mmCIF file of all heavy atoms in Angstrom:
data_model
loop_
_atom_site.group_PDB
_atom_site.id
_atom_site.type_symbol
_atom_site.label_atom_id
_atom_site.label_comp_id
_atom_site.label_asym_id
_atom_site.label_seq_id
_atom_site.Cartn_x
_atom_site.Cartn_y
_atom_site.Cartn_z
ATOM 1 N N ASN A 359 6.279 -1.146 -2.950
ATOM 2 C CA ASN A 359 5.426 -2.034 -3.703
ATOM 3 C C ASN A 359 6.248 -3.292 -4.004
ATOM 4 O O ASN A 359 7.383 -3.421 -3.548
ATOM 5 C CB ASN A 359 4.969 -1.342 -4.999
ATOM 6 C CG ASN A 359 3.623 -1.849 -5.472
ATOM 7 O OD1 ASN A 359 3.318 -3.035 -5.342
ATOM 8 N ND2 ASN A 359 2.819 -0.968 -6.054
ATOM 9 N N THR A 360 5.726 -4.207 -4.780
ATOM 10 C CA THR A 360 6.423 -5.464 -5.030
ATOM 11 C C THR A 360 7.636 -5.285 -5.943
ATOM 12 O O THR A 360 7.718 -4.344 -6.720
ATOM 13 C CB THR A 360 5.478 -6.498 -5.666
ATOM 14 O OG1 THR A 360 4.914 -5.932 -6.853
ATOM 15 C CG2 THR A 360 4.370 -6.883 -4.698
ATOM 16 N N ILE A 361 8.562 -6.229 -5.842
ATOM 17 C CA ILE A 361 9.771 -6.248 -6.670
ATOM 18 C C ILE A 361 9.549 -7.213 -7.830
ATOM 19 O O ILE A 361 9.088 -8.341 -7.635
ATOM 20 C CB ILE A 361 10.984 -6.695 -5.832
ATOM 21 C CG1 ILE A 361 11.246 -5.678 -4.718
ATOM 22 C CG2 ILE A 361 12.217 -6.866 -6.714
ATOM 23 C CD1 ILE A 361 12.321 -6.112 -3.740
ATOM 24 N N THR A 362 9.864 -6.794 -9.032
ATOM 25 C CA THR A 362 9.631 -7.637 -10.204
ATOM 26 C C THR A 362 10.474 -8.913 -10.156
ATOM 27 O O THR A 362 11.685 -8.858 -9.929
ATOM 28 C CB THR A 362 9.957 -6.873 -11.496
ATOM 29 O OG1 THR A 362 9.185 -5.674 -11.536
ATOM 30 C CG2 THR A 362 9.624 -7.713 -12.718
ATOM 31 N N GLY A 363 9.806 -10.058 -10.346
ATOM 32 C CA GLY A 363 10.503 -11.338 -10.316
ATOM 33 C C GLY A 363 9.909 -12.323 -11.297
ATOM 34 O O GLY A 363 8.927 -12.033 -11.991
ATOM 35 N N MET A 364 10.485 -13.511 -11.339
ATOM 36 C CA MET A 364 10.050 -14.541 -12.274
ATOM 37 C C MET A 364 10.284 -15.921 -11.671
ATOM 38 O O MET A 364 11.212 -16.126 -10.879
ATOM 39 C CB MET A 364 10.822 -14.424 -13.596
ATOM 40 C CG MET A 364 10.487 -15.476 -14.649
ATOM 41 S SD MET A 364 11.548 -15.332 -16.135
ATOM 42 C CE MET A 364 10.881 -13.825 -16.869
ATOM 43 N N LYS A 365 9.411 -16.873 -12.050
ATOM 44 C CA LYS A 365 9.587 -18.269 -11.663
ATOM 45 C C LYS A 365 9.308 -19.145 -12.877
ATOM 46 O O LYS A 365 8.367 -18.894 -13.636
ATOM 47 C CB LYS A 365 8.627 -18.631 -10.522
ATOM 48 C CG LYS A 365 8.770 -20.067 -10.036
ATOM 49 C CD LYS A 365 7.858 -20.356 -8.851
ATOM 50 C CE LYS A 365 8.039 -21.796 -8.362
ATOM 51 N NZ LYS A 365 7.199 -22.090 -7.178
ATOM 52 N N ILE A 366 10.150 -20.181 -13.040
ATOM 53 C CA ILE A 366 9.994 -21.095 -14.166
ATOM 54 C C ILE A 366 9.660 -22.493 -13.649
ATOM 55 O O ILE A 366 10.296 -23.000 -12.719
ATOM 56 C CB ILE A 366 11.277 -21.130 -15.016
ATOM 57 C CG1 ILE A 366 11.490 -19.761 -15.683
ATOM 58 C CG2 ILE A 366 11.214 -22.232 -16.065
ATOM 59 C CD1 ILE A 366 12.808 -19.617 -16.405
ATOM 60 N N ASP A 367 8.625 -23.096 -14.203
ATOM 61 C CA ASP A 367 8.241 -24.466 -13.892
ATOM 62 C C ASP A 367 9.142 -25.391 -14.719
ATOM 63 O O ASP A 367 8.972 -25.512 -15.941
ATOM 64 C CB ASP A 367 6.764 -24.676 -14.255
ATOM 65 C CG ASP A 367 6.248 -26.049 -13.859
ATOM 66 O OD1 ASP A 367 7.048 -27.011 -13.863
ATOM 67 O OD2 ASP A 367 5.044 -26.162 -13.567
ATOM 68 N N ILE A 368 10.121 -26.041 -14.063
ATOM 69 C CA ILE A 368 11.104 -26.825 -14.814
ATOM 70 C C ILE A 368 10.538 -28.138 -15.340
ATOM 71 O O ILE A 368 11.092 -28.720 -16.283
ATOM 72 C CB ILE A 368 12.362 -27.094 -13.970
ATOM 73 C CG1 ILE A 368 12.033 -27.930 -12.724
ATOM 74 C CG2 ILE A 368 13.029 -25.773 -13.578
ATOM 75 C CD1 ILE A 368 13.264 -28.396 -11.963
ATOM 76 N N GLU A 369 9.448 -28.633 -14.737
ATOM 77 C CA GLU A 369 8.829 -29.856 -15.247
ATOM 78 C C GLU A 369 8.028 -29.578 -16.509
ATOM 79 O O GLU A 369 8.064 -30.341 -17.471
ATOM 80 C CB GLU A 369 7.941 -30.483 -14.169
ATOM 81 C CG GLU A 369 8.691 -30.942 -12.923
ATOM 82 C CD GLU A 369 9.708 -32.032 -13.218
ATOM 83 O OE1 GLU A 369 9.529 -32.790 -14.198
ATOM 84 O OE2 GLU A 369 10.699 -32.129 -12.470
ATOM 85 N N ARG A 370 7.320 -28.487 -16.508
ATOM 86 C CA ARG A 370 6.499 -28.121 -17.669
ATOM 87 C C ARG A 370 7.255 -27.257 -18.665
ATOM 88 O O ARG A 370 6.786 -26.976 -19.750
ATOM 89 C CB ARG A 370 5.239 -27.397 -17.197
ATOM 90 C CG ARG A 370 4.333 -28.277 -16.330
ATOM 91 C CD ARG A 370 3.153 -27.496 -15.734
ATOM 92 N NE ARG A 370 2.365 -26.854 -16.768
ATOM 93 C CZ ARG A 370 2.025 -25.567 -16.769
ATOM 94 N NH1 ARG A 370 2.427 -24.775 -15.800
ATOM 95 N NH2 ARG A 370 1.280 -25.066 -17.739
ATOM 96 N N ARG A 371 8.456 -26.795 -18.248
ATOM 97 C CA ARG A 371 9.314 -25.984 -19.104
ATOM 98 C C ARG A 371 8.599 -24.733 -19.607
ATOM 99 O O ARG A 371 8.616 -24.407 -20.802
ATOM 100 C CB ARG A 371 9.856 -26.814 -20.278
ATOM 101 C CG ARG A 371 10.637 -28.034 -19.830
ATOM 102 C CD ARG A 371 11.257 -28.772 -20.998
ATOM 103 N NE ARG A 371 11.934 -29.982 -20.520
ATOM 104 C CZ ARG A 371 12.688 -30.767 -21.289
ATOM 105 N NH1 ARG A 371 12.856 -30.470 -22.572
ATOM 106 N NH2 ARG A 371 13.254 -31.853 -20.796
ATOM 107 N N CYS A 372 7.995 -24.057 -18.644
ATOM 108 C CA CYS A 372 7.278 -22.823 -18.997
ATOM 109 C C CYS A 372 7.282 -21.890 -17.794
ATOM 110 O O CYS A 372 7.700 -22.259 -16.698
ATOM 111 C CB CYS A 372 5.843 -23.133 -19.425
ATOM 112 S SG CYS A 372 4.821 -23.807 -18.106
ATOM 113 N N PHE A 373 6.820 -20.682 -18.018
ATOM 114 C CA PHE A 373 6.721 -19.716 -16.928
ATOM 115 C C PHE A 373 5.632 -20.143 -15.940
ATOM 116 O O PHE A 373 4.584 -20.645 -16.350
ATOM 117 C CB PHE A 373 6.388 -18.325 -17.476
ATOM 118 C CG PHE A 373 7.426 -17.792 -18.430
ATOM 119 C CD1 PHE A 373 7.187 -17.771 -19.799
ATOM 120 C CD2 PHE A 373 8.634 -17.316 -17.963
ATOM 121 C CE1 PHE A 373 8.126 -17.283 -20.685
ATOM 122 C CE2 PHE A 373 9.591 -16.823 -18.834
ATOM 123 C CZ PHE A 373 9.347 -16.811 -20.200
ATOM 124 N N ALA A 374 5.882 -19.930 -14.657
ATOM 125 C CA ALA A 374 4.880 -20.268 -13.643
ATOM 126 C C ALA A 374 3.692 -19.325 -13.700
ATOM 127 O O ALA A 374 2.582 -19.695 -13.313
ATOM 128 C CB ALA A 374 5.515 -20.234 -12.256
ATOM 129 N N LEU A 375 3.916 -18.105 -14.183
ATOM 130 C CA LEU A 375 2.852 -17.117 -14.327
ATOM 131 C C LEU A 375 2.580 -16.870 -15.802
ATOM 132 O O LEU A 375 3.516 -16.766 -16.603
ATOM 133 C CB LEU A 375 3.248 -15.783 -13.670
ATOM 134 C CG LEU A 375 3.546 -15.791 -12.172
ATOM 135 C CD1 LEU A 375 4.036 -14.419 -11.734
ATOM 136 C CD2 LEU A 375 2.327 -16.201 -11.370
ATOM 137 N N ALA A 376 1.316 -16.744 -16.142
ATOM 138 C CA ALA A 376 0.964 -16.469 -17.540
ATOM 139 C C ALA A 376 1.559 -15.146 -18.016
ATOM 140 O O ALA A 376 1.873 -14.976 -19.194
ATOM 141 C CB ALA A 376 -0.558 -16.454 -17.704
ATOM 142 N N ASN A 377 1.745 -14.228 -17.088
ATOM 143 C CA ASN A 377 2.283 -12.910 -17.414
ATOM 144 C C ASN A 377 3.816 -12.918 -17.545
ATOM 145 O O ASN A 377 4.419 -11.903 -17.804
ATOM 146 C CB ASN A 377 1.864 -11.902 -16.333
ATOM 147 C CG ASN A 377 2.081 -10.465 -16.746
ATOM 148 O OD1 ASN A 377 1.528 -9.999 -17.729
ATOM 149 N ND2 ASN A 377 2.915 -9.750 -15.997
ATOM 150 N N LYS A 378 4.432 -14.093 -17.301
ATOM 151 C CA LYS A 378 5.888 -14.295 -17.278
ATOM 152 C C LYS A 378 6.512 -13.716 -16.012
ATOM 153 O O LYS A 378 7.189 -14.424 -15.269
ATOM 154 C CB LYS A 378 6.578 -13.720 -18.523
ATOM 155 C CG LYS A 378 6.125 -14.357 -19.825
ATOM 156 C CD LYS A 378 6.875 -13.762 -21.003
ATOM 157 C CE LYS A 378 6.394 -14.366 -22.316
ATOM 158 N NZ LYS A 378 7.094 -13.770 -23.487
ATOM 159 N N THR A 379 6.346 -12.428 -15.775
ATOM 160 C CA THR A 379 6.878 -11.817 -14.562
ATOM 161 C C THR A 379 5.751 -11.466 -13.604
ATOM 162 O O THR A 379 4.589 -11.357 -13.999
ATOM 163 C CB THR A 379 7.672 -10.542 -14.881
ATOM 164 O OG1 THR A 379 6.804 -9.589 -15.493
ATOM 165 C CG2 THR A 379 8.855 -10.845 -15.792
ATOM 166 N N GLY A 380 6.110 -11.268 -12.345
ATOM 167 C CA GLY A 380 5.130 -10.872 -11.341
ATOM 168 C C GLY A 380 5.812 -10.088 -10.241
ATOM 169 O O GLY A 380 7.030 -9.879 -10.257
ATOM 170 N N GLY A 381 5.028 -9.652 -9.286
ATOM 171 C CA GLY A 381 5.548 -8.882 -8.166
ATOM 172 C C GLY A 381 5.885 -9.778 -6.996
ATOM 173 O O GLY A 381 5.036 -10.508 -6.501
ATOM 174 N N LEU A 382 7.134 -9.742 -6.562
ATOM 175 C CA LEU A 382 7.563 -10.532 -5.408
ATOM 176 C C LEU A 382 7.232 -9.798 -4.120
ATOM 177 O O LEU A 382 7.547 -8.616 -3.970
ATOM 178 C CB LEU A 382 9.072 -10.788 -5.488
ATOM 179 C CG LEU A 382 9.694 -11.551 -4.310
ATOM 180 C CD1 LEU A 382 9.167 -12.983 -4.247
ATOM 181 C CD2 LEU A 382 11.216 -11.539 -4.406
ATOM 182 N N SER A 383 6.585 -10.511 -3.201
ATOM 183 C CA SER A 383 6.237 -9.934 -1.902
ATOM 184 C C SER A 383 6.511 -10.967 -0.815
ATOM 185 O O SER A 383 6.892 -12.097 -1.099
ATOM 186 C CB SER A 383 4.764 -9.517 -1.873
ATOM 187 O OG SER A 383 3.923 -10.656 -2.041
ATOM 188 N N GLY A 384 6.298 -10.589 0.439
ATOM 189 C CA GLY A 384 6.521 -11.519 1.540
ATOM 190 C C GLY A 384 7.852 -11.276 2.237
ATOM 191 O O GLY A 384 8.580 -10.328 1.921
ATOM 192 N N PRO A 385 8.205 -12.140 3.207
ATOM 193 C CA PRO A 385 9.432 -11.949 4.005
ATOM 194 C C PRO A 385 10.695 -11.759 3.181
ATOM 195 O O PRO A 385 11.632 -11.086 3.628
ATOM 196 C CB PRO A 385 9.495 -13.230 4.834
ATOM 197 C CG PRO A 385 8.073 -13.657 4.976
ATOM 198 C CD PRO A 385 7.423 -13.307 3.671
ATOM 199 N N ALA A 386 10.737 -12.313 1.977
ATOM 200 C CA ALA A 386 11.948 -12.207 1.157
ATOM 201 C C ALA A 386 12.315 -10.762 0.832
ATOM 202 O O ALA A 386 13.485 -10.440 0.620
ATOM 203 C CB ALA A 386 11.770 -13.005 -0.143
ATOM 204 N N VAL A 387 11.325 -9.874 0.771
ATOM 205 C CA VAL A 387 11.608 -8.491 0.365
ATOM 206 C C VAL A 387 11.810 -7.555 1.550
ATOM 207 O O VAL A 387 12.163 -6.387 1.345
ATOM 208 C CB VAL A 387 10.490 -7.925 -0.550
ATOM 209 C CG1 VAL A 387 10.206 -8.867 -1.708
ATOM 210 C CG2 VAL A 387 9.211 -7.639 0.226
ATOM 211 N N LYS A 388 11.632 -8.042 2.770
ATOM 212 C CA LYS A 388 11.652 -7.133 3.920
ATOM 213 C C LYS A 388 12.965 -6.370 4.086
ATOM 214 O O LYS A 388 12.943 -5.143 4.297
ATOM 215 C CB LYS A 388 11.328 -7.883 5.217
ATOM 216 C CG LYS A 388 10.948 -6.929 6.351
ATOM 217 C CD LYS A 388 10.914 -7.613 7.711
ATOM 218 C CE LYS A 388 12.300 -7.682 8.293
ATOM 219 N NZ LYS A 388 12.324 -8.223 9.658
ATOM 220 N N PRO A 389 14.135 -7.006 3.981
ATOM 221 C CA PRO A 389 15.366 -6.228 4.129
ATOM 222 C C PRO A 389 15.498 -5.102 3.113
ATOM 223 O O PRO A 389 16.003 -4.016 3.437
ATOM 224 C CB PRO A 389 16.471 -7.282 3.948
ATOM 225 C CG PRO A 389 15.825 -8.576 4.313
ATOM 226 C CD PRO A 389 14.409 -8.449 3.838
ATOM 227 N N VAL A 390 15.027 -5.342 1.892
ATOM 228 C CA VAL A 390 15.050 -4.295 0.869
ATOM 229 C C VAL A 390 14.099 -3.172 1.256
ATOM 230 O O VAL A 390 14.425 -1.986 1.142
ATOM 231 C CB VAL A 390 14.664 -4.868 -0.513
ATOM 232 C CG1 VAL A 390 14.602 -3.759 -1.557
ATOM 233 C CG2 VAL A 390 15.651 -5.950 -0.940
ATOM 234 N N ALA A 391 12.922 -3.549 1.737
ATOM 235 C CA ALA A 391 11.918 -2.556 2.104
ATOM 236 C C ALA A 391 12.378 -1.693 3.278
ATOM 237 O O ALA A 391 12.209 -0.459 3.262
ATOM 238 C CB ALA A 391 10.602 -3.255 2.455
ATOM 239 N N VAL A 392 12.965 -2.322 4.296
ATOM 240 C CA VAL A 392 13.458 -1.563 5.455
ATOM 241 C C VAL A 392 14.532 -0.571 5.010
ATOM 242 O O VAL A 392 14.543 0.594 5.430
ATOM 243 C CB VAL A 392 14.004 -2.509 6.539
ATOM 244 C CG1 VAL A 392 14.692 -1.713 7.655
ATOM 245 C CG2 VAL A 392 12.880 -3.356 7.133
ATOM 246 N N ARG A 393 15.433 -1.029 4.134
ATOM 247 C CA ARG A 393 16.489 -0.141 3.634
ATOM 248 C C ARG A 393 15.908 1.043 2.891
ATOM 249 O O ARG A 393 16.336 2.190 3.068
ATOM 250 C CB ARG A 393 17.430 -0.943 2.732
ATOM 251 C CG ARG A 393 18.623 -0.147 2.204
ATOM 252 C CD ARG A 393 18.411 0.384 0.787
ATOM 253 N NE ARG A 393 18.262 -0.666 -0.194
ATOM 254 C CZ ARG A 393 18.025 -0.453 -1.474
ATOM 255 N NH1 ARG A 393 17.873 0.795 -1.925
ATOM 256 N NH2 ARG A 393 17.868 -1.458 -2.327
ATOM 257 N N MET A 394 14.901 0.805 2.049
ATOM 258 C CA MET A 394 14.313 1.894 1.268
ATOM 259 C C MET A 394 13.544 2.868 2.150
ATOM 260 O O MET A 394 13.594 4.088 1.931
ATOM 261 C CB MET A 394 13.428 1.327 0.166
ATOM 262 C CG MET A 394 14.215 0.692 -0.971
ATOM 263 S SD MET A 394 13.180 0.341 -2.413
ATOM 264 C CE MET A 394 14.458 -0.084 -3.623
ATOM 265 N N VAL A 395 12.831 2.366 3.147
ATOM 266 C CA VAL A 395 12.129 3.250 4.074
ATOM 267 C C VAL A 395 13.136 4.134 4.810
ATOM 268 O O VAL A 395 12.929 5.350 4.967
ATOM 269 C CB VAL A 395 11.273 2.440 5.064
ATOM 270 C CG1 VAL A 395 10.814 3.320 6.230
ATOM 271 C CG2 VAL A 395 10.065 1.844 4.358
#
Side-chain angles (χ1 to χ4, degrees):
N359 208 323
T360 56
I361 297 173
T362 304
M364 178 184 288
K365 181 177 181 178
I366 294 173
D367 185 329
I368 63 172
E369 297 298 333
R370 297 174 56 231
R371 302 185 183 187
C372 65
F373 300 105
L375 300 175
N377 194 60
K378 299 181 182 179
T379 62
L382 177 66
S383 63
V387 308
K388 196 192 83 175
V390 176
V392 172
R393 183 262 297 178
M394 287 192 170
V395 166

